[in-house]
Amino acid sequence: MEQKKNNSPIQINDFKLIWRIISKNWFIPLIVMPIFYLIGYFYSYKIENVYQASIELLKSNDTYYKSSVITDNSFYSASRSFVDNSNEIRIITSYDIMKETVEKLKHQLQVSYYIVGRVRTTEQFSGSPFNVSVNTINPKLFEQPFSFKILNFNEYEMRYVSNGNEVIKIGKFNEALVDVEFNLSINREANFSRNFAEQFSKLNYQFVVHEMNNLVSQFRNVLKVENPDYTNVLVLTMDDIIPERAILILDTLSKVYINKSLNSRFEINERTINYIEKQLSDVSLSLNEIEDTMQNFKQQYNILDLNWEKEDFFKKLAKYDGEKSSLKLKIDAINDLEKYIIEDKDPEFLPPNIFLVGDDEFMKKSIQDLYELQIQVNSQLSFSKEINPNVIEIRQKIKKLKQNMLVYLNNARNATYKIIENVNNEISSYVADINSIPPKQREMLNISRKVAVNEELYNFLLQQRANTKIARASIVPEIKVIDSPRNKGIVSTDKKNILSTFSAIGLAIALLIIALRVLFFSTIQTVEELKENTVLPVIGDLPFQKGVSNLGFVVEESPSSFIAEAFRTLRTNLQYVILNSPKKTILLTSNAPGEGKTFTTINIGAILAKSGKRVVLLELDLHKPRIQKALEMNADIGISTFMVGQNTLDEIVKPTVINNLFAILSGPIPPNPSDLVLSEKLKELVDYAKANFDYVLIDTPPLGLLSDAAYLMQYSDINLFVLNTKFATKSVLNQFQKLVQDNSIQHVYLVLNGVKRKRGRYYYSKYGYGYGYGYGYGYGYNKKA
């Protein structure tokens, strides 16, 4: 009955392959992973934890006074519940803001203090027993470590490198240390008392003086500002190995930013008040002059009063004159603002009469937006150039806003001129009525009208000054701290994660090593593996056991051993292979030295001779002959002397200690071994051996090193390729298979040497015999007693 084919995707051989890989490489992860774990532990111990501090700010539109022309809500910002905070983020992260912050904290930030340990150096932000005050220092000493040692309560030792040479200074605490390269004051802190002097003297300290611009750049790089979607909240975060320092910087930075925004509003308010004061002074002076003129006119012409009707005409005329003056003042304000926009004035110098735009909300918002955009340009240019994309973007916004404002101002001016024209018409109408009044009284009414006009303008300016001063009191910060700076904990350098990562790396490398070993260095250990990886026939395997001499006749010395039985099995397999061959010439080779080729040759010859066959060993490894040493025979004559004609074939054939086993040794090693192999006399030698012996065993050099074996295969009936489990990699096997295919070599068989087997697999395991064999290319050998 036909056996059913197994179509399962997983075969028993797959499990065997996995087991072989595990059994050969189990120790690699056990070695590599602990090593990487220790490396990770040491690395995590050396590095510092990185903490994150944060503060939250809210941009609001709060104000305490809303009826003024200039208030915190109506003038400085548009009334809106949500604003684009991208510009605020740019201002907060600007170089100038951070520079001012660092300047305020110069005493705490300019010098960093460290404790030097055996394994790592730890930075101290607080708790140092001393502090360094830098008066002046050579710039080349910035960022260079100064070694510091406390000698006693009064003295210290400081070391640093200058121009490649170590400089040592001895100084006294609380006194200036002056040198050509620096002027420092090193003072004791409050925690440095006489009782702790000895304890502090046992520690090694360092300090580093930082250049202020480097500090600004350093802290700007770790400062991050985020604006959560659909909110006016700004979240400032800073990463630092010392959380107290990050909290201090964020707190100071927020104060600097808030004060800066307040100062710009106070400056505008102050300039507006100064302008109003100047206008009041001018109007007051003009009013005094007019009143004096009127008084003199009354005294000169003895005018006491005007009748009611005439006075009413002049009052109305004065009212229109006042309106006309206000409108002209508005025209002047429009012209000043237009000139400011066209001439592109510095935003620090806004036109002071901008308050005269009245209740025009569009102009208020446009002026404030223009001011803020110009402030942003100045902030960006403090740390970048005109080609910066942010600067170009803001410039384009300013240009577009100015175009809109200029069109609006032109329309507003034209509309104002039309109003003035209407007022002039009204004034002309009243002037015609007044002309009927007698000249003296008319002159008096004209003077009175001028007084009324200036009084009205004076009252208007007084009101604006009062409103502006009230607005000053109502100016409050747009930015509020809603969550004070605090430490959010460790954000990087998670030591547990580092250990896990290094362990994972160790496992990955271990698996990589195993993969490389399996692909390139894994050796074939069993006949089953050998059959799986080759199409060449396997004729036998030789087991491995310790305890028997490396060389010699193991089948004679230990006839009941595993190896002796294996050679008997190999003899039987050979007899089946060459059953019908009249002559039996067997060539043995290997890929490299030390694989047991010569050992196999000798013992196959011995086991064949024991069966009653005449066997001869040809030692044709003329480069490094080993048979003569294994058999402990004198090789003063042999193949090399026959090749040069010094001896005959009968003279070089020598018997061995085994009956029916003979050896033709290499003789003295010639200077040109490969040339002798190519000699015509070699064929004579082989023909002689075939004619006089039942079996001819040819021992050749390793095929992986020399080509002699490939050449000699033309004389053999069977070619045995000996592989040792120590060296039998897949690449070696593939190279040999390629050689066989390329040269069309026939009758090639494989012998696997050094196979490790369980003792129970042989029925004679009770005897406990074993052996060890194989030798290196030298190919020197070690012979055990």
Side-chain angles (χ1 to χ4, degrees):
M1 184 177 179
E2 184 179 356
Q3 187 178 359
K4 187 178 181 179
K5 187 177 180 181
N6 186 3
N7 294 322
S8 174
I10 301 178
Q11 305 292 333
I12 189 65
N13 289 336
D14 297 331
F15 291 105
K16 291 182 178 180
L17 175 62
I18 294 172
W19 173 248
R20 285 199 300 267
I21 293 174
I22 294 174
S23 62
K24 293 179 184 179
N25 302 283
W26 60 269
F27 61 92
I28 294 176
L30 296 182
I31 295 174
V32 176
M33 288 184 64
I35 291 175
F36 272 84
Y37 182 87
L38 292 175
I39 294 173
Y41 180 82
F42 183 76
Y43 174 77
S44 63
Y45 179 79
K46 285 275 292 181
I47 61 177
E48 300 281 355
N49 289 328
V50 178
Y51 300 85
Q52 186 176 85
S54 69
I55 185 174
E56 293 188 8
L57 307 178
L58 174 66
K59 185 173 183 181
S60 63
N61 297 318
D62 294 343
T63 183
Y64 302 114
Y65 181 72
K66 299 186 178 180
S67 62
S68 170
V69 176
I70 304 176
T71 66
D72 195 50
N73 188 45
S74 65
F75 182 76
Y76 296 108
S77 63
S79 297
R80 54 193 184 268
S81 59
F82 170 71
V83 293
D84 180 11
N85 291 305
S86 58
N87 294 329
E88 301 298 328
I89 293 175
R90 291 172 181 168
I91 294 174
I92 293 175
T93 57
S94 66
Y95 186 90
D96 289 345
I97 295 290
M98 184 59 73
K99 182 178 180 181
E100 187 174 345
T101 301
V102 172
E103 289 289 346
K104 286 181 176 294
L105 300 174
K106 180 178 180 180
H107 180 68
Q108 290 115 309
L109 300 180
Q110 187 176 17
V111 181
S112 296
Y113 304 90
Y114 304 87
I115 296 179
V116 182
R118 293 181 180 179
V119 178
R120 67 176 180 180
T121 299
T122 306
E123 184 175 358
Q124 279 192 313
F125 186 67
S126 59
S128 175
F130 64 93
N131 69 77
V132 179
S133 178
V134 181
N135 300 319
T136 56
I137 189 171
N138 191 326
K140 69 179 182 180
L141 297 180
F142 283 132
E143 314 305 331
Q144 178 177 315
F146 288 77
S147 298
F148 190 87
K149 184 74 173 178
I150 296 174
L151 301 178
N152 50 55
F153 183 72
N154 296 314
E155 293 181 322
Y156 59 83
E157 178 187 273
M158 186 176 72
R159 297 170 180 260
Y160 64 97
V161 177
S162 178
N163 298 322
N165 300 317
E166 185 180 41
V167 181
I168 302 175
K169 296 289 183 181
I170 305 294
K172 292 186 177 182
F173 287 109
N174 302 336
E175 293 183 8
L177 181 63
V178 181
D179 189 76
V180 293
E181 294 184 314
F182 54 76
N183 181 352
L184 307 177
S185 295
I186 301 179
N187 307 309
R188 289 187 294 267
E189 289 285 5
N191 62 342
F192 188 2
S193 63
R194 291 184 181 274
N195 296 332
F196 293 101
E198 184 178 354
Q199 180 179 346
F200 289 145
S201 65
K202 296 178 182 179
L203 300 176
N204 295 319
Y205 294 93
Q206 275 186 359
F207 68 85
V208 176
V209 181
H210 302 290
E211 201 270 330
M212 299 306 292
N213 289 331
N214 289 345
L215 283 178
V216 174
S217 300
Q218 173 188 338
F219 293 129
R220 283 188 66 217
N221 290 336
V222 295
L223 174 66
K224 296 179 181 178
V225 183
E226 296 180 353
N227 177 208
D229 294 339
Y230 310 112
T231 69
N232 287 335
V233 175
L234 298 175
V235 181
L236 283 64
T237 60
M238 179 173 286
D239 296 344
D240 199 337
I241 60 174
I242 300 176
E244 295 85 354
R245 178 167 57 196
I247 291 173
L248 179 63
I249 293 173
L250 288 179
D251 184 57
T252 307
L253 177 68
S254 63
K255 293 177 181 177
V256 169
Y257 173 58
I258 292 172
N259 290 336
K260 199 171 187 67
S261 64
L262 280 176
N263 289 339
S264 64
R265 290 170 173 79
F266 283 129
E267 288 176 5
I268 297 174
N269 184 278
E270 187 65 30
R271 292 192 185 108
T272 302
I273 292 175
N274 292 337
Y275 177 81
I276 293 174
E277 293 288 355
K278 182 178 181 300
Q279 294 297 318
L280 282 171
S281 177
D282 294 342
V283 172
S284 178
L285 182 62
S286 177
L287 188 59
N288 291 333
E289 292 177 355
I290 295 172
E291 288 177 346
D292 291 341
T293 302
M294 184 176 64
Q295 184 64 29
N296 293 333
F297 189 83
K298 284 182 178 182
Q299 291 177 358
Q300 181 179 357
Y301 296 102
N302 296 317
I303 297 175
L304 298 177
D305 200 358
L306 300 174
N307 59 48
W308 177 86
E309 183 180 3
K310 297 174 182 177
E311 185 176 355
D312 182 60
F313 285 145
F314 279 94
K315 282 182 179 181
K316 290 181 179 180
L317 187 59
K319 175 184 175 183
Y320 285 115
D321 283 338
E323 288 181 8
K324 183 178 179 180
S325 297
S326 298
L327 291 172
K328 287 184 177 180
L329 193 60
K330 184 176 181 179
I331 291 292
D332 292 339
I334 291 174
N335 292 336
D336 287 347
L337 186 55
E338 184 180 57
K339 181 180 179 182
Y340 164 79
I341 292 172
I342 294 174
E343 293 181 357
D344 197 15
K345 294 292 187 180
D346 192 308
E348 291 294 331
F349 300 97
L350 275 174
N353 54 351
I354 58 175
F355 71 94
L356 295 173
V357 296
D359 296 327
D360 194 331
E361 292 296 334
F362 174 80
M363 287 307 300
K364 292 176 186 177
K365 180 179 180 303
S366 298
I367 292 170
Q368 177 62 20
D369 289 345
L370 177 61
Y371 177 77
E372 289 180 350
L373 287 172
Q374 289 177 315
I375 289 294
Q376 290 174 28
V377 169
N378 282 5
S379 177
Q380 289 287 331
L381 292 177
S382 65
F383 59 89
S384 61
K385 297 182 179 179
E386 286 285 350
I387 59 175
N388 186 288
N390 291 334
V391 175
I392 295 174
E393 180 184 355
I394 298 173
R395 291 285 194 200
Q396 291 174 348
K397 290 181 179 179
I398 291 176
K399 183 178 180 181
K400 184 176 181 180
L401 180 60
K402 285 184 175 181
Q403 290 173 347
N404 294 337
M405 292 176 67
L406 289 173
V407 172
Y408 187 87
L409 288 174
N410 185 59
N411 294 337
R413 182 170 46 231
N414 292 336
T416 304
Y417 277 133
K418 290 182 180 179
I419 296 173
I420 292 175
E421 183 179 351
N422 293 334
V423 172
N424 285 332
N425 292 336
E426 292 293 335
I427 291 174
S428 299
S429 174
Y430 280 101
V431 168
D433 294 336
I434 292 173
N435 286 334
S436 62
I437 301 173
K440 292 181 181 180
Q441 292 181 350
R442 187 170 62 246
E443 183 66 25
M444 182 64 189
L445 290 175
N446 285 332
I447 296 173
S448 299
R449 179 169 56 84
K450 291 180 181 179
V451 171
V453 169
N454 281 275
E455 285 179 346
E456 183 177 352
L457 180 58
Y458 189 82
N459 290 332
F460 172 74
L461 291 172
L462 286 176
Q463 182 182 3
Q464 294 302 324
R465 184 179 66 177
N467 290 343
T468 305
K469 288 186 176 181
I470 294 174
R472 184 181 184 87
S474 71
I475 295 175
V476 294
E478 280 188 337
I479 306 298
K480 293 182 179 180
V481 177
I482 60 173
D483 192 358
S484 58
R486 58 188 176 87
N487 180 14
K488 296 179 66 176
I490 299 174
V491 292
S492 63
T493 325
D494 187 344
K495 296 189 176 182
K496 290 184 179 179
N497 188 41
I498 288 177
L499 293 177
S500 300
T501 301
F502 271 86
S503 298
I505 292 173
L507 177 60
I509 291 178
L511 294 176
L512 178 62
I513 293 173
I514 292 174
L516 293 175
R517 279 170 54 87
V518 170
L519 293 175
F520 302 105
F521 304 102
S522 179
T523 57
I524 298 171
Q525 298 293 315
T526 66
V527 173
E528 290 78 8
E529 287 185 66
L530 184 58
K531 290 180 179 179
E532 291 173 3
N533 291 280
T534 182
V535 296
L536 298 176
V538 180
I539 198 170
D541 63 331
L542 303 175
F544 171 83
Q545 280 222 327
K546 299 179 181 178
V548 178
S549 59
N550 292 339
L551 298 174
F553 297 110
V554 68
V555 296
E556 177 71 15
E557 297 171 358
S558 305
S560 300
S561 64
F562 293 170
I563 187 64
E565 184 63 25
F567 275 114
R568 294 186 187 98
T569 303
L570 181 58
R571 177 189 63 187
T572 302
N573 294 339
L574 283 171
Q575 288 175 342
Y576 278 111
V577 169
I578 59 178
L579 185 62
N580 298 320
S581 178
K583 296 298 180 181
K584 292 89 174 178
T585 303
I586 304 172
L587 181 143
L588 291 94
T589 188
S590 63
N591 180 70
E595 301 204 53
K597 164 181 61 67
T598 301
F599 177 83
T600 304
T601 303
I602 293 171
N603 282 279
I604 289 177
I607 204 72
L608 289 172
K610 281 181 172 291
S611 66
K613 304 296 183 181
R614 282 174 55 84
V615 182
V616 64
L617 307 177
L618 297 186
E619 191 178 28
L620 280 174
D621 185 354
L622 302 180
H623 297 266
K624 298 290 181 179
R626 283 294 175 265
I627 291 179
Q628 54 188 276
K629 294 181 180 180
L631 301 182
E632 298 181 352
M633 297 176 66
N634 188 359
D636 54 345
I637 62 172
I639 296 174
S640 61
T641 58
F642 165 73
M643 293 289 189
V644 297
Q646 294 181 3
N647 297 101
T648 65
L649 289 171
D650 293 333
E651 291 175 346
I652 63 175
V653 177
K654 296 182 179 181
T656 67
V657 295
I658 305 294
N659 291 332
N660 296 323
L661 180 63
F662 299 87
I664 300 179
L665 303 179
S666 65
I669 298 176
N672 55 344
S674 295
D675 293 340
L676 289 182
V677 172
L678 300 176
S679 171
E680 289 293 332
K681 299 197 71 174
L682 179 64
K683 184 178 184 305
E684 181 183 348
L685 170 64
V686 175
D687 290 342
Y688 171 82
K690 289 182 177 181
N692 292 278
F693 298 93
D694 297 319
Y695 287 94
V696 180
L697 302 183
I698 303 175
D699 184 39
T700 63
L703 188 59
L705 300 178
L706 300 168
S707 62
D708 294 15
Y711 177 77
L712 293 172
M713 285 180 184
Q714 63 181 306
Y715 301 113
S716 63
D717 300 315
I718 296 176
N719 301 298
L720 298 185
F721 188 71
V722 180
L723 295 165
N724 194 295
T725 56
K726 294 181 179 179
F727 316 107
T729 62
K730 293 180 181 179
S731 60
V732 169
L733 187 59
N734 292 334
Q735 291 174 7
F736 179 68
Q737 288 184 139
K738 186 175 185 301
L739 176 68
V740 171
Q741 293 172 358
D742 293 346
N743 294 276
S744 300
I745 302 173
Q746 302 294 322
H747 308 299
V748 176
Y749 298 90
L750 303 178
V751 177
L752 184 61
N753 186 19
V755 178
K756 295 181 181 179
R757 288 178 174 172
K758 294 182 180 179
R759 295 170 61 89
R761 295 189 59 180
Y762 288 89
Y763 70 92
Y764 45 80
S765 61
K766 60 184 179 181
Y767 293 105
Y769 292 121
Y771 75 102
Y773 57 90
Y775 41 87
Y777 207 88
Y779 348 139
Y781 67 99
N782 296 320
K783 189 169 183 179
K784 295 183 179 178

